[in-house]
Amino acid sequence: MEKPAPPYLMAMVKSRAVPRALRASSTARLEPPSLRTHGRQASRLFSVLAPRWWNELPLGVRTESLAVFKRRLKTHLFVMHLRMSTVLGLP
């Protein structure tokens, strides 16, 4: 990244460590925490949701440059909204 995230955010999310050189090792995925350690409301925690949302983004959106990431994320969200409104028949 251009600038590292604040330490309190870095403590909440961890990069996925791949033990061997695989195709997946270059996809910049985050490791979701174990839900057992967080109790019943774990699915609402930032530390659980952030890695899930990040990993669900297309590989082309996940990038090292913040400026490029913002532009690609905006395009991705717009396209998703456009597809959803077309499916639902919204104006």
Side-chain angles (χ1 to χ4, degrees):
M1 292 264 173
E2 290 176 354
K3 288 195 259 183
Y8 65 92
L9 289 178
M10 295 293 287
M12 289 185 189
V13 293
K14 305 287 182 211
S15 294
R16 179 174 286 177
V18 180
R20 294 176 287 166
L22 304 170
R23 265 188 304 184
S25 63
S26 63
T27 59
R29 296 178 62 87
L30 298 177
E31 186 70 39
S34 171
L35 296 178
R36 293 179 188 168
T37 60
H38 294 293
R40 192 171 159 208
Q41 300 296 325
S43 63
R44 295 181 182 182
L45 293 174
F46 175 82
S47 60
V48 173
L49 290 175
R52 182 187 312 162
W53 291 337
W54 177 261
N55 293 338
E56 288 175 359
L57 287 174
L59 186 57
V61 174
R62 292 181 275 167
T63 179
E64 296 297 320
S65 167
L66 182 60
V68 174
F69 169 74
K70 287 180 179 181
R71 187 174 66 241
R72 290 180 181 174
L73 179 62
K74 180 179 173 182
T75 302
H76 172 69
L77 294 174
F78 178 75
V79 168
M80 280 181 45
H81 174 73
L82 185 61
R83 285 181 185 156
M84 185 60 72
S85 61
T86 303
V87 168
L88 295 175
L90 299 175

